[in-house]
Structure formats: structure tokens, C-alpha cells
Amino acid sequence: MTEFFRLIQNENMKIYRRQSAKVMLILLLGLILAAGLIVKTSQPAPKENTHWKQELVQQNQVLEKQQTQVGGNRQAINQIKKTIALNQYRIDHNLKPSGGETLWGFVSGAAGNTVLLISIFTIIVVAGSIASEFDTGTIKLLLIRPVYRTEILLAKYLSSLLFAVLCLVLLFLFSWLIGGLFFGFDGAAEAHLSYTSGVVHQTSWTLAVWKDYLLNGVSLFMMVTVAGLIAAAFRNGGLAIGLSIFMMMGSSIIVTLLSGYSWVKYVLFANLDLTQYASGTPLRSDMTLGFSLVVLAVYYVVIALAGWLFYTRRDIKA
Amino acid sequence: MANEPKKPAVVLEHVTKKFGRKTVIDDLSFKIYGGEVFGFLGPNGAGKTTTIRMIVGLMRMTRGNIFIQGHSVKGDFRQAMRQVGAIVENPEMYKFLTGYQNLVHYARMIPGISKERIGEVVKLVDLEERINEKVKKYSLGMRQRLGLAQALLHHPSVLILDEPTNGLDPQGIHDLRNYLHDLSRREGVAVIVSSHLLSEMQLMCDRIGIIQKGKLLGVETVSQFMEEGGGKVRFTVNDGAKAAQTVKDKLALNPLTVLTDAFELAIAYEKIPVVVDTLVNGGTRIYGVESVTQSLEDRFLEVTGGKQHD
């Protein structure tokens, strides 16, 4: 085990000593800071609102009317029901909604897009880690050690995933800090209200944000593995990066194009977004969370196995 | 080690490598022993590097097997590699890391290498002053020395060096030669060297294996190899062409080379006076007679049939 830990240490050293890793981390923090500045300057200063309960009651009355008008649109009805329930909960428990952006609002808002950015970074890292040693020729001195290629590949893969975890932790801490500095640390104690199957729960924001990271992380995890496979198969980092980012960006288009066919549910990209089950509106009505998890697991095993075979079985000619 | 019967350090058994239908290495079998420096010779594209890659497990054999200190490279890769230190082709290290970080990287891959050992090899290859600089700032010679350092970290009993003198200055080559000799004699390490500098190998190696078009032409000691070439004698005369003709007519000897003022013959030592007499009688004026030792290079070209055309 310590032997394997040393391999991880090696791969970490090769990731973080490169200029590119530093640039990526600085870019990540810079973007969060920029987002904070933009939100801060673009929104008016929050006014003291003493009539918030009345306003929520009014809003709910309007929504109740709308609900009868939208007719059969399940998604719209769900959304309206959710807003009504949350408003009612605030009125009942005396939880004043904030006038503007809050610390947690910022942290949560930064999650979605930034996780996509972290996916791209991690794809770059994993492709570089696996393929670049073939370009530079260092693969030869790496693979003539008393260590199996499987272990080296696993160390490269895991250290790349650790890079993603580091980015997520940095994202969390830094967006919390920026959120606090710009929108007040008093918002840190705010409760998170969630709505599931007609009931409102009061939960921790930290958990809610990490749940969000995790759901977005499914796509990250799969696409990083795909990038690893391409890097191992073609020994070409650029190709692996380009192809997997292209697939990731184009996945929603692909799914939309194929959405008419019933077999779309077996396509990897249709199952990457697990938030479709949390919102209660899956792509196809016959898809469930369990189904998606099984499809993802099958894809994962096939991709990982193929990558492993390419890396361990082929001759090193570099 | 000294009194035991010699066990081979590296054994190649009917090693064959095919790329598709093309046979690159054809039924290669030979043994290399601890305590010797073995030179691997062959023109470019003959299969030297492919063979070295198979020994260190970078390429799979199509047929045959390789054993290092009794451990099969195929079946017992870890144990086999534990014995091996190598540079395969150029010593390509991580340029964005320092020399020291590179060594730490390789040291982590083999248990039991202490910080002191890393310091030792750094000192050995004379890189102490520059070891904390990034490798991208190193000259080729320094990279070569760092490559040697990583190969020696774990006290390997088999050391494989591909073109080790590449980029070294004359002093560096001299030091390396002495060091490899020491390593093989004192510590019983089997050293395998491939080089295109044939004159270098003449000084460095105990035995050489010649490979051409994937086939082993022979394994011989350097002295055997040289002797078989026979003596070559150079006669410096007033008229090379005329003298060569005289020798041809009177003694039925075919000159190897004919120049305007000299010619060369492959003859035994005892025959020199006969040739001299014949020439003098034929009216040729002789300015000098010298025996030319054939270099390994000439002998090599002779054995492999001149230049290789791929």
C-alpha cells in the first residue's frame, strides 16, 4: 500500500510541478473572484424590507391562480407547487428571504458552471498525465521499474481525480470566502430549504452544495475516464482533450437529436445528468435513477477496461 | 561470487519479435554474465534497441523468453526489473522537474532507496552543483549523467546503457569507461552497452554481440574478433599502382587498397620480407612498411557487409 501511495506522490508531483496546473488553479480562483465582483456591482444594495410576509402571501395567491391556468404541463406545475410550499414555509417559520445575493446563494450559484470548468481542467490533467509521457519519451524510464503498468495507470487516474477533488474543495472554500466578503458573513448561518415530494425540509447549505457538486461530478467522472481511455489508446493528449471536451459540450445536443428514439436512454450522455431525477422530470418517463446508475456503471466498466488494456498491452515505441 | 560457477545474469532464449508479418528480431539467443561489459553492435535498424526494449519489458516478445538473474521478464516482471538499471535510447527525464526531483521520482518506485543513496549517486555522476536546477537547463552530457544516476540508484546487477557516451566530453567518456569497468569487475555487475562509436566499444567491452537484420551474427570476445580480421600491412612506395601490379603478378596477392604512393596487403607477419624482396627486385623503391591494426570499425563493416541500406 505504501508502494502505491508513493506512485500517487509521484504523479501528484508531476501534475502540480507543471506550469499548467498552476495556471488552471489561478484561473479557477480568478473566475470565482470575477463572478463575485460582477454580482456585487450589478445588483442594487438590498433594502430593508419589513413587509416580506405580506409580499410572499400575495405571491402565493398569484401562483395559485397560475397553477390552474397552465393545464397539463407537469414540470411547470411542479415548479409552482415548490415555490408556494417554500414561501409558505418561510411565512410559517418566520424565515425572511434575503433581499439580494447572500453568501450561500453565491456559493450555490458558482457551482454549476464552475464544475464544468473543473471537468475541462481535469480532462486536461488526465490526458496530459497519461499521454504526455509518450511524447516526451519519459514513459520508457517510467515503465522499466519493478512496478506493473496497471499500478502506474491507476496512480495516474486517481491522482487526476484527486486534482478534481482539490479543485472542488478550493471552489467551495473560495466561493464561501468571496461570498462572505462581498455579501456578508452573517449569511453563513442561513438555512437551506429543500422541497421533496410535497414536503419542505430545512437542511444544511454545505450538504446541499456538495450534493450539487456530486451530481455535477458524475459527468466529470465519466468524461475524465473517457479522456483517459482516449489518451491511453492514441497516446495523444491533444486528441484526448479535444475529443472529450467536444463530447461533453455536445452531449446535450446529441441527446436532443436522439430524443425521439426509445434507445436514447441507453446513450451515455442521456444518463450523465442525474439532476433530472431530483427535479422529477427525467428525459424519458421509463428512466429511473436506478436505471441510469446501471447504465453508467456498464459504460464505466467498458471504458475503464478498454483504457487499461490499451495502456498495459501495447508495446512502447516512443 | 568469484568461486561459484558462473551463472548468467541475462539469458535470451529464442527471442523473436514480429511487427505484423515482418520479423524484426529472429530467434536471438545469448547469455551475458556478471562481471563483464557486453557490447551490442549493429547498424541502425538492425534491432539493437528492439532487443533492449524486450529485455526491459517495454516490448513483448512474439516468441521466446528472457531471464534476468533467473527471473522471467514475462512471468516475474517485478523481480526481473528489480535487478535492472537502464537507459533506453536517450535519457529522457522530466524537464519541468529538477535533477534531484527526477531521482526522487525514480527512487520512490523501488523500496529501500535512502536519501543518502540518492546523494551518493549524485556525487558519483558529478552533478552536485547543478542537481537542484531544472533538467531543461541541462546540457546533453548532464542529462546523460543524470540518466546514469537513475539507472544506478537501486544497485542493479544488470546495467543496460543505450549509447551511453552520447553527449559526453572526452573526459566524461574516459570516466564512464573506468567506472563501468570498476562496476563489472568489483561488483560483478553485468553491463550491456550499445553504441555506434565502435572505437569506444573496443576500449570498453569484453565481449561483443553483432546483430544485423534482427539476426545474431556472433558473440565473440573483443580480442577474438580483432584477431580474425588478420594482419594488414601498408607499404609506402614511389609508385603504388606499379608495385601493386608487381605483387599481383609475382606473388598472386590481391592488394586491399591501392593509392598513388602506397598499397595495403592482408598478409601474415612472416610473409613481409618476401614481399619486400619481390618489390625491390621489381625496381620499386620502398619508403616504409608498417603493420596496420584493423580497428573494430573496419572489422565490423567487414562482418556486416558494409553499409546498411534500409
Side-chain angles (χ1 to χ4, degrees), chain A residues 68 116 145 200 208 271 306:
Chain A
T68 55
L116 185 70
R145 311 289 145 181
V200 176
N271 294 283

Side-chain angles (χ1 to χ4, degrees), chain A residues 154-170:
Chain A
L154 193 63
K156 285 182 175 297
Y157 180 59
L158 289 182
S159 63
S160 302
L161 291 176
L162 281 177
F163 174 82
V165 172
L166 172 79
C167 286
L168 288 176
V169 171
L170 280 179

Side-chain angles (χ1 to χ4, degrees), chain A residues 173-298:
Chain A
L173 294 178
F174 200 67
S175 60
W176 190 91
L177 189 71
I178 295 290
L181 284 173
F182 286 1
F183 312 111
F185 284 105
D186 50 337
E190 189 191 349
H192 177 253
L193 300 183
S194 68
Y195 173 84
T196 38
S197 51
V199 189
V200 176
H201 302 276
Q202 200 169 330
T203 55
S204 130
W205 260 110
T206 309
L207 276 179
V209 168
W210 276 98
K211 189 181 152 199
D212 201 16
Y213 287 172
L214 221 60
L215 285 175
N216 282 297
V218 173
S219 161
L220 180 153
F221 183 63
M222 291 303 291
M223 293 320 291
V224 166
T225 312
V226 168
L229 162 65
I230 300 171
F234 296 99
R235 298 177 173 180
N236 182 330
L239 184 73
I241 294 166
L243 213 56
S244 15
I245 291 178
F246 176 76
M247 279 197 270
M248 192 167 70
M249 297 302 196
S251 66
S252 60
I253 299 170
I254 297 169
V255 171
T256 311
L257 284 176
L258 299 177
S259 58
Y261 304 97
S262 64
W263 48 263
V264 72
K265 63 184 175 183
Y266 298 113
V267 174
L268 170 64
F269 305 121
N271 294 283
L272 285 178
D273 177 20
L274 295 183
T275 54
Q276 59 183 318
Y277 302 109
S279 64
T281 49
L283 184 69
R284 291 183 62 86
S285 53
D286 55 347
M287 284 167 74
T288 63
L289 181 62
F291 171 82
S292 277
L293 289 178
V294 170
V295 171
L296 288 174
V298 171

Side-chain angles (χ1 to χ4, degrees), chain A residues 47-63 83-99:
Chain A
K47 280 173 279 179
E48 198 50 43
N49 189 349
T50 45
H51 309 293
W52 61 273
K53 273 192 190 176
Q54 276 160 286
E55 278 173 18
L56 285 184
V57 171
Q58 273 172 12
Q59 200 189 344
N60 272 3
Q61 282 166 354
V62 175
L63 286 171
T83 314
I84 293 172
L86 289 177
N87 283 347
Q88 194 56 49
Y89 191 89
R90 286 189 181 281
I91 296 165
D92 295 345
H93 292 79
N94 201 25
L95 293 168
K96 189 182 146 195
S98 67

Side-chain angles (χ1 to χ4, degrees), chain A residues 3 6 9-10 13-14 17-18 133 136-138 140-149 151-152 313 315-318, chain B residues 17 19 53 56-60 77-78 81-82 86 88-89 92-94 96-97 101 105-111 150:
Chain A
E3 283 177 40
R6 285 152 159 257
Q9 257 185 311
N10 271 349
M13 177 167 77
K14 287 185 271 181
R17 293 276 176 189
R18 275 203 178 95
E133 301 219 23
T136 57
T138 51
K140 289 175 293 189
L141 290 186
L142 182 71
L143 294 186
I144 59 168
R145 311 289 145 181
V147 176
Y148 289 113
R149 288 191 198 179
E151 298 172 89
I152 289 174
R313 295 299 149 106
D315 283 348
I316 309 297
K317 292 178 188 171
Chain B
K17 175 73 186 175
F19 289 138
R53 277 167 194 252
V56 295
L58 290 177
M59 283 187 174
R60 282 158 180 270
F77 181 73
R78 265 171 184 264
M81 284 309 112
R82 195 86 185 236
V88 183
E89 282 186 317
E92 282 135 337
M93 317 289 272
Y94 301 101
F96 54 95
L97 299 179
Q101 285 165 345
H105 173 269
Y106 296 117
R108 283 196 190 126
M109 299 182 81
I110 302 166
Q150 64 78 28

